[in-house]
Amino acid sequence: MPTITLPTKRIIQLINWTDSLERLAERIAMLGTDVEHVTEEEIRVEIFPNRPDLLSHTLFAKALKDFTNPHARDTLFQPPTARSGKKILINPAMKRVRPYTLAALVTNLTLTQEDLDLIIQLQEKLDITHHRNRAKAAAGIYPADHIAWPITFTTINPDETDFTPLGMTKPIKARDILTQHPKGKQYAHLLTGLNEWPAFKDANGNILSIPPIINSEETGRVTPATRSVFIEVSGHHLPTLRTSLAILTATLILLGGTLQSITIQYPEEYEGVHGSIETPSFTPHETGLSKREAERLIGISMTEDEFDTLLARMGHVRRGSIILTPAYRADIHHPIDIIEDITIAYGYENIQPSLPRIHTNGKPHPREEHAAHIRNILTRLAYHETYTHHLIRKEDEDTILGKHVKPVLMENPLTEQTSGFRRSIITPLLHAERENQQEKYPHKLFSLGRIARVEGKRVIEEDELVILYADPTRGISQLQQDVHALFHALGIAEDITYTPLLSDDAVKAFWPGRGMIIHHKEKEIGMISEIKPSILTSLGIHTPVFIARLALPLLPLKPTKPYQDLTDL
Amino acid sequence: MRLHEKEYVERTLTEEEQQVLAFLKQHEHATLDTLRERLGMADARLGKAILWLEQKGLIKREEQDERVLTRTPKGDEAAQHGLPEERLAQLLQEQSLSMREAKHLLGEAFNIALGILKRANTVRIDQGKLLLIKPYTSPLAQSIHQQTLPVDHPHAQELVKRGLYTPTKEKRITLHLTEKGRTIRIIRGLHDSLTPDMLRTGAYANKRFRAYTIAPRIIPADAGNEHPTTRFIQHIRRVWLSLGFEEITGNLIQTSFWNFDALYTPQDHPAREMHDTFFIKNAQADLPDAKLVRRVKQTHEHGWTTKSTGWQQAWRKREAKRLVLRTHTTVLSAQALSKITTADLPLKVFSIGTVFRNETLDWKHLFEFHQVEGIVAAPSLTFQHLKGYLTTFFTSLGYEAVRLRPAYFPYTELSVEVDVKIPGKGWMELGGAGIFRPEVVKPLTGKWIPVLAWGLGLARIIMQTYNLTDIRDTQAAKLSILRSLPDPDQHFYAKHE
């Protein structure tokens, strides 16, 4: 989630705040952001990704001002628009390069350096989230004064075009931006390998920018002296472009600018949009929602007047059975999104908790009950349950288990320590024993849980129980007694048989001749073995270790006989 | 039957304690050396007996620094092999030797040895040969066998000069009988154990038994325990079961379809990027039945019949098929919803399980942790009820206040962040909750039903319960931690008092 920093004084001035900073912080949180801190100097908040409009300092202030106004009315943002008569022509080739652009002109501006910095912050945060690191869309803002109209949105050959990117003094070959300019390096993956690049060119043939990378140094630098700006967004996803253009334009209008629309001339045959369109569009989103529907889901009742006020406090307005929402909101997919806004305005803190009158029976899952039962038996035998991680370094496990079982491997682990999903709990439990060498003996540990492997191309998940016994003086008979006590407690001891363990094929760390295979009614359910001294030495363990490994689902709970009634005796 | 304190003490005395005490009763006081010499007891047993008698207040120890002569390594050598002058005399007694031969046999000590024998008039040199005149016994012969000698020893000066002894300080320990010790009787013939034989024959009746002493430091016996995190989970299970919820469970490795797509998370959502989620590189899985997949696809692309706009972008099966380690237990709730019919309503299910995040392990971050998940589905549910369940749950864990804040998750609307109040510390964020979006519910169930849902992380609340500061300790494998953490129920009971 993106975090933004806003100057406290400016926000207080924009919303006429007179209460304390604590109250301000609380209101900002209850509007629907994650507040990091509010100090005399700055407000730091995380903005949820569904509300890119709140990344703008002026839209943030407007939202907060409406939200904190108990008598809010007519808050829907719908600026007057005049046609500028200016045009952007779309080259049909753009369909395969960068299909869409939308644009606007804002004039009569007086911008401070602070405003400019906050607009740059807005652009950067939009890029990270709403624009998906510019893969989906990118925006540019230019001083409008030096542009010769009409602009064309067209392709260039990056190897034959000279261009001076913002921040450089001399022109370079367009393709060299990707290796020489910081923004070029950052977004190189978006253009690398392409031989047709998108560009905005003005009527004099000057390249205004190469989206989604960078503006031109000559025509793309906005300063506090700039009075009117040209704003464009371009990319692959029209709904994203519409929202972004509305956010950027509204931000400047709220700083006192005057909006003028631009005509975008698309080819007649074009997917999604064709012919002339006038942008930006501040036509509100329309959502059908009745007061009754909202009341039913929230669990409150409102008067018509209260309903309208709650809507207005979130920037919406009601027209008949339709709710109008400003064009810069990206999060209204469904009437339920309006219901959430109403609840936020009502205040989550004002909702009375209650439980529905629903009767159901609690029911534990047999797998969890079974595990709990086994844990209970082992703890009675004085074993400690030990946490073992599901993820492990694949090579560490190869050393202990061998390589015959195919592990589930991670595509992108942050560290080698999490490169594979454990194939058995044996390795992590041996690692736990290594950590415990300074502790008083005997060590009696167990861990149960999920293991996984790949067979063919499929993942198999299973449950496993591993028990570890380590003591300088006592040996396998102690562990065997304890494991047999487990079988006894489960009621299956009389069906258990043991055969000698003669190979380390199943577990490389097990010591042939010094272990046994455990069978329940002829079916192999596990093994018990001393760990080979060479393995112990390689792990740095200096005490004999014994391990029992059991397939958890194969440890059945024998049904106990029902109690006989005393009268039957 | 009641023992008086004095008699109790008398009965606790071991054979060794009795011997030491008896000696002191006779002599009033004695040095440690004297006791060692006179009682002929192994040092360890004597030391233990003295310590216990001191602890019982029957004897008192006095320590004094004493100046003594301590034997040097050179002295040790002389004690073992004899003084050089004695060795020379011995050799000459067997046969006469030339000066060269004698020098060769005695080495460096030859000159000193010869000088001493000459002064004692016991040796004569004749034509370069050494001849013994009369047998020789050194006046030091007895003394050299003592490790230490008193400083006023008659030969002190010579011994020190020859480097056989050196003056040092030594602790001299004297043990005195105390007033209490004086009154204690020594009871002979106490029995240590009651044996089956005595019980059978009745012989115990005319025997006296030793009393038990209380050890000063008792090391607890090692009881086995469930892992602290498991114990906490079991407690939470009981809470949800008691509220009438059915427990569900499922796989840790899931398709992106269940983990993300069925939960209306767009295919280009940042959470689906590499750095957050563990993707599996060497396995595949199938998608569920085609009808459900089609509904989800259409919902993502344009809203299907949910009245939603959808994400308005193409939805790809290939992306949905990618396997992940589940990032939330919400995947289980989605699967539960996909299996129900109207007859199963109202539905109340919960699960507690491991979820994964692609992180590096440190004191603040885990790459796997536990979540508790729950959903309630019924036609009449409201946001009030969501607040009701969350409040009831946390109240039953002993937290006094629960706060809900607006939040955002792709699969819920309304969405809330859940905080609980920690006395003296303020609000602690515990996870997310909300009402499942129609874009989630309708594709899974075929119709819109309000579904309350929550997914709460357990690590922070476990840390808070056990007072841990390192999040890794919630996954401890160290016996020192496993043996020492108390039962979480203690904390819960304490909170309810």
Side-chain angles (χ1 to χ4, degrees):
Chain A
M1 280 195 295
T3 304
I4 55 164
T5 308
L6 303 171
T8 309
K9 276 195 189 121
R10 187 69 200 284
I11 298 299
I12 283 179
Q13 171 230 324
L14 285 168
I15 68 172
N16 302 322
W17 185 257
T18 51
D19 208 332
S20 70
L21 289 184
E22 288 74 32
R23 177 75 180 156
L24 181 66
E26 189 264 345
R27 286 291 87 195
I28 294 172
M30 294 314 277
L31 169 63
T33 67
D34 227 339
V35 178
E36 274 186 20
H37 61 243
V38 172
T39 65
E40 298 276 353
E41 286 75 40
E42 62 174 38
I43 296 169
R44 256 182 91 74
V45 284
E46 272 186 41
I47 302 297
F48 296 126
N50 65 328
R51 288 295 302 270
D53 56 299
L54 294 179
L55 298 167
S56 149
H57 69 297
T58 53
L59 286 174
F60 180 90
K62 171 170 166 37
L64 192 57
K65 189 176 180 182
D66 294 342
F67 175 61
T68 52
N69 177 5
H71 311 294
R73 265 301 189 300
D74 298 325
T75 56
L76 184 74
F77 182 82
Q78 240 185 331
T81 316
R83 281 175 175 252
S84 68
K86 299 191 163 65
K87 271 190 179 180
I88 297 179
L89 310 172
I90 312 294
N91 180 335
M94 295 314 289
K95 198 194 285 192
R96 60 176 185 270
V97 179
R98 192 168 182 85
Y100 307 117
T101 185
L102 308 172
L105 211 55
V106 181
T107 58
N108 296 328
L109 278 167
T110 318
L111 296 171
T112 64
Q113 189 57 47
E114 185 179 74
D115 287 326
L116 282 177
D117 292 344
L118 289 165
I119 290 165
I120 290 168
Q121 169 174 271
L122 164 64
Q123 268 185 288
E124 284 175 355
K125 303 294 176 176
L126 274 178
D127 279 342
I128 295 168
T129 55
H130 198 56
H131 297 162
R132 301 284 194 257
N133 285 316
R134 297 196 187 173
K136 216 171 180 181
I141 303 180
Y142 317 68
D145 305 338
H146 311 296
I147 297 170
W149 297 88
I151 291 171
T152 45
F153 190 40
T154 186
T155 60
I156 55 165
N157 180 334
D159 300 307
E160 290 172 3
T161 311
D162 292 317
F163 177 71
T164 313
L166 203 62
M168 292 182 95
T169 48
K170 271 185 266 172
I172 55 173
K173 282 276 172 285
R175 195 179 290 282
D176 294 337
I177 301 172
L178 304 189
T179 48
Q180 292 180 22
H181 194 277
K183 288 284 174 205
K185 288 179 201 168
Q186 190 181 347
Y187 295 108
H189 60 281
L190 298 173
L191 288 181
T192 302
L194 300 181
N195 293 320
E196 278 183 310
W197 284 16
F200 286 98
K201 272 187 188 174
D202 78 358
N204 295 336
N206 292 323
I207 296 176
L208 303 178
S209 73
I210 298 178
I213 310 286
I214 191 74
N215 282 12
S216 143
E217 171 68 24
E218 285 126 26
T219 56
R221 184 177 286 283
V222 177
T223 69
T226 307
R227 293 287 164 265
S228 50
V229 297
F230 161 60
I231 308 167
E232 53 75 14
V233 286
S234 68
H236 302 270
H237 190 237
L238 264 176
T240 302
L241 301 192
R242 286 193 198 105
T243 322
S244 288
L245 184 64
I247 291 169
L248 289 164
T249 314
T251 301
L252 290 167
I253 294 167
L254 287 168
L255 287 169
T258 307
L259 175 62
Q260 293 186 22
S261 66
I262 291 175
T263 310
I264 320 270
Q265 184 71 56
Y266 280 95
E268 285 308 320
E269 299 290 317
Y270 213 75
E271 198 186 319
V273 55
H274 47 84
S276 280
I277 58 164
E278 200 67 17
T279 68
S281 162
F282 274 96
T283 309
H285 301 293
E286 295 187 1
T287 313
L289 175 74
S290 69
K291 182 168 82 75
R292 179 87 195 96
E293 285 172 85
E295 286 174 335
R296 272 192 65 174
L297 195 66
I298 306 170
I300 56 170
S301 57
M302 305 170 263
T303 63
E304 297 289 329
D305 196 52
E306 282 165 346
F307 186 48
D308 286 334
T309 307
L310 292 174
L311 285 168
R313 286 177 59 197
M314 298 304 282
H316 309 281
V317 71
R318 177 161 64 146
R319 295 276 179 272
S321 61
I322 300 292
I323 311 296
L324 303 183
T325 302
Y328 54 72
R329 289 284 297 265
D331 60 321
I332 308 298
H333 285 204
H334 190 276
I336 202 148
D337 295 301
I338 307 278
I339 298 180
E340 183 183 75
D341 268 12
I342 293 165
T343 319
I344 289 172
Y346 185 85
Y348 282 17
E349 69 277 22
N350 298 322
I351 302 288
Q352 290 311 306
S354 79
L355 287 180
R357 288 162 199 271
I358 291 176
H359 178 77
T360 50
N361 288 327
K363 193 172 154 200
H365 193 279
R367 173 180 176 255
E368 298 301 326
E369 285 296 280
H370 184 234
H373 187 62
I374 295 213
R375 276 195 214 101
N376 184 285
I377 297 167
L378 287 169
T379 53
R380 264 155 39 201
L381 291 163
Y383 281 80
H384 281 283
E385 188 188 10
T386 308
Y387 192 94
T388 47
H389 288 116
H390 293 83
L391 297 180
I392 194 163
R393 197 169 157 265
K394 179 208 168 257
E395 289 74 17
D396 288 348
E397 219 183 15
D398 287 344
T399 317
I400 305 298
L401 300 180
K403 288 186 175 177
H404 58 288
V405 177
K406 252 174 81 185
V408 175
L409 296 175
M410 303 305 124
E411 192 175 332
N412 56 325
L414 220 49
T415 69
E416 275 302 297
Q417 301 312 311
T418 55
S419 62
F421 198 103
R422 65 188 182 192
R423 286 161 273 177
S424 165
I425 300 173
I426 294 173
T427 312
L429 203 58
L430 277 171
H431 289 175
E433 170 57 21
R434 180 175 56 193
E435 299 303 306
N436 277 316
Q437 286 196 77
Q438 303 305 316
E439 304 291 337
K440 193 176 73 140
Y441 287 96
H443 296 168
K444 301 170 84 174
L445 309 175
F446 76 98
S447 186
L448 52 80
R450 273 298 151 98
I451 57 171
R453 62 177 187 276
V454 175
E455 272 182 21
K457 273 278 171 191
R458 303 281 148 180
V459 173
I460 313 270
E461 276 189 46
E462 275 169 1
D463 287 327
E464 187 187 59
L465 164 66
V466 177
I467 309 170
L468 180 148
Y469 183 88
D471 190 78
T473 56
R474 272 171 296 178
I476 200 157
S477 59
Q478 184 62 50
L479 177 60
Q480 206 188 353
Q481 278 178 24
D482 291 339
V483 171
H484 209 72
L486 169 68
F487 297 145
H488 185 78
L490 291 171
I492 57 171
E494 65 264 37
D495 295 324
I496 296 285
T497 52
Y498 298 90
T499 55
L501 177 71
L502 300 177
S503 122
D504 63 0
D505 287 349
V507 179
K508 213 169 132 200
F510 284 1
W511 196 350
R514 290 176 69 88
M516 53 220 111
I517 303 171
I518 308 168
H519 309 264
H520 175 246
K521 293 182 176 167
E522 325 280 275
K523 193 178 170 83
E524 183 180 327
I525 60 164
M527 285 179 189
I528 179 167
S529 175
E530 185 165 358
I531 299 299
K532 282 179 193 161
S534 57
I535 296 281
L536 293 180
T537 315
S538 74
L539 287 169
I541 295 176
H542 306 299
T543 305
V545 174
F546 306 89
I547 278 189
R549 170 205 210 179
L550 294 158
L552 208 49
L554 298 181
L555 294 180
L557 283 168
K558 194 175 182 178
T560 47
K561 277 186 197 156
Y563 290 118
Q564 285 184 339
D565 198 314
L566 276 177
T567 52
D568 289 348
L569 289 175
Chain B
M1 181 168 119
R2 186 175 170 80
L3 275 184
H4 289 288
E5 204 228 327
K6 179 170 153 302
E7 198 187 348
Y8 165 71
V9 174
E10 286 166 351
R11 292 254 204 133
T12 62
L13 299 184
T14 61
E15 295 279 345
E16 287 84 357
E17 286 176 281
Q18 288 183 342
Q19 280 186 51
V20 173
L21 194 65
F23 188 87
L24 288 175
K25 272 167 126 33
Q26 207 178 337
H27 297 91
E28 204 58 32
H29 58 82
T31 65
L32 188 57
D33 290 334
T34 316
L35 282 172
R36 196 181 279 138
E37 210 171 290
R38 298 287 297 277
L39 297 178
M41 225 184 270
D43 269 6
R45 291 168 64 200
L46 178 63
K48 232 181 240 176
I50 289 172
L51 189 70
W52 289 344
L53 286 169
E54 280 184 88
Q55 280 170 356
K56 291 170 190 171
L58 306 185
I59 63 173
K60 231 170 39 201
R61 156 195 309 248
E62 184 193 2
E63 291 184 358
Q64 275 177 323
D65 277 338
E66 190 185 32
R67 286 169 54 82
V68 290
L69 299 178
T70 304
R71 202 165 65 197
T72 62
K74 198 173 167 187
D76 293 343
E77 161 114 27
Q80 206 180 344
H81 304 292
L83 289 154
E85 59 272 27
E86 285 186 317
R87 282 161 59 206
L88 183 58
Q90 184 72 37
L91 288 166
L92 293 178
Q93 197 158 12
E94 286 158 19
Q95 60 177 113
S96 67
L97 297 167
S98 72
M99 292 282 272
R100 259 189 57 207
E101 286 167 332
K103 213 175 207 167
H104 178 72
L105 286 166
L106 259 82
E108 268 178 35
F110 171 73
N111 286 341
I112 297 170
L114 184 60
I116 291 170
L117 292 185
K118 265 181 172 172
R119 254 176 276 139
N121 287 322
T122 52
V123 74
R124 174 164 70 85
I125 306 171
D126 189 14
Q127 295 178 344
K129 285 210 164 203
L130 296 171
L131 300 171
L132 194 70
I133 304 166
K134 55 183 181 187
Y136 175 77
T137 311
S138 170
L140 305 180
Q142 284 299 317
S143 312
I144 196 77
H145 290 289
Q146 303 295 320
Q147 272 289 340
T148 57
L149 294 170
V151 275
D152 55 358
H153 188 273
H155 299 288
Q157 215 179 345
E158 189 186 350
L159 290 168
V160 173
K161 199 174 149 200
R162 286 184 64 183
L164 298 169
Y165 283 79
T166 182
T168 54
K169 273 186 190 168
E170 197 174 68
K171 244 185 201 119
R172 180 189 157 101
I173 297 172
T174 312
L175 299 157
H176 300 268
L177 196 64
T178 62
E179 277 310 311
K180 192 175 173 193
R182 248 184 277 281
T183 66
I184 293 292
R185 291 168 307 159
I186 288 167
I187 307 167
R188 303 281 176 195
L190 287 175
H191 285 265
D192 277 320
S193 329
L194 176 66
T195 64
D197 235 23
M198 294 175 189
L199 287 168
R200 203 173 49 247
T201 59
Y204 64 88
N206 46 27
K207 292 193 185 330
R208 282 193 288 186
F209 290 88
R210 206 177 302 286
Y212 296 132
T213 40
I214 310 291
R217 186 174 150 262
I218 301 170
I219 299 160
D222 197 12
N225 249 328
E226 289 180 316
H227 195 272
T229 292
T230 305
R231 281 183 265 161
F232 190 84
I233 287 171
Q234 294 303 327
H235 188 87
I236 289 179
R237 280 183 79 222
R238 286 195 289 276
V239 172
W240 288 119
L241 289 168
S242 75
L243 289 170
F245 281 71
E246 178 179 347
E247 184 171 31
I248 55 171
T249 179
N251 284 354
L252 301 181
I253 301 168
Q254 295 278 357
T255 55
S256 291
F257 178 85
W258 284 114
N259 196 73
F260 296 122
D261 296 289
L263 292 164
Y264 196 55
T265 306
Q267 293 197 321
D268 65 349
H269 191 276
R272 301 178 76 152
E273 277 173 27
M274 290 292 195
H275 54 263
D276 275 336
T277 303
F278 284 111
F279 286 91
I280 307 297
K281 86 170 162 196
N282 60 338
Q284 314 172 332
D286 295 327
L287 294 183
D289 77 280
K291 188 168 142 197
L292 175 57
V293 174
R294 198 170 53 244
R295 285 172 175 179
V296 167
K297 175 183 166 72
Q298 291 179 358
T299 303
H300 275 250
E301 288 182 345
H302 50 71
W304 184 49
T305 59
T306 63
K307 292 189 203 158
S308 170
T309 59
W311 291 110
Q312 301 175 58
Q313 59 194 28
W315 183 91
R316 289 178 182 84
K317 260 189 191 171
R318 208 183 49 186
E319 184 63 34
K321 276 185 172 177
R322 296 177 76 191
L323 283 171
V324 298
L325 297 187
R326 69 184 186 200
T327 61
H328 47 191
T329 39
T330 316
V331 59
L332 303 176
S333 298
Q335 287 167 352
L337 281 178
S338 74
K339 289 178 206 145
I340 60 162
T341 64
T342 315
D344 297 315
L345 296 179
L347 178 80
K348 284 160 73 181
V349 298
F350 81 101
S351 69
I352 304 172
T354 307
V355 300
F356 298 85
R357 223 38 72 80
N358 199 356
E359 293 262 18
T360 307
L361 196 63
D362 63 32
W363 70 282
K364 270 176 92 167
H365 300 95
L366 301 171
F367 57 77
E368 57 179 71
F369 48 93
H370 286 92
Q371 244 183 16
V372 54
E373 174 83 13
I375 57 171
V376 183
S380 58
L381 294 172
T382 72
F383 187 59
Q384 278 191 316
H385 300 139
L386 177 69
K387 199 167 178 179
Y389 278 112
L390 291 169
T391 308
T392 306
F393 174 63
F394 284 110
T395 310
S396 59
L397 289 188
Y399 293 98
E400 54 194 63
V402 180
R403 179 175 76 173
L404 305 187
R405 278 183 292 127
Y408 170 72
F409 309 103
Y411 39 92
T412 51
E413 191 82 9
L414 312 99
S415 300
V416 307
E417 200 81 61
V418 186
D419 299 337
V420 296
K421 190 160 205 173
I422 309 297
K425 281 188 189 158
W427 296 97
M428 177 167 77
E429 193 176 310
L430 283 182
I435 300 175
F436 272 153
R437 297 189 66 97
E439 293 95 324
V440 173
V441 176
K442 202 171 174 193
L444 291 171
T445 65
K447 58 185 273 190
W448 161 246
I449 320 152
V451 180
L452 314 178
W454 49 87
L456 310 163
L458 292 186
R460 296 175 78 175
I461 193 170
I462 292 174
M463 283 174 81
Q464 204 269 323
T465 301
Y466 291 112
N467 254 329
L468 303 173
T469 48
D470 186 328
I471 199 166
R472 287 170 295 194
D473 286 346
T474 63
Q475 303 181 339
K478 267 204 178 301
L479 277 165
S480 53
I481 296 173
L482 301 180
R483 283 170 173 161
S484 67
L485 286 184
D487 199 278
D489 288 349
Q490 280 192 14
H491 300 259
F492 301 129
Y493 295 147
K495 278 177 188 151
H496 284 295
E497 271 167 14

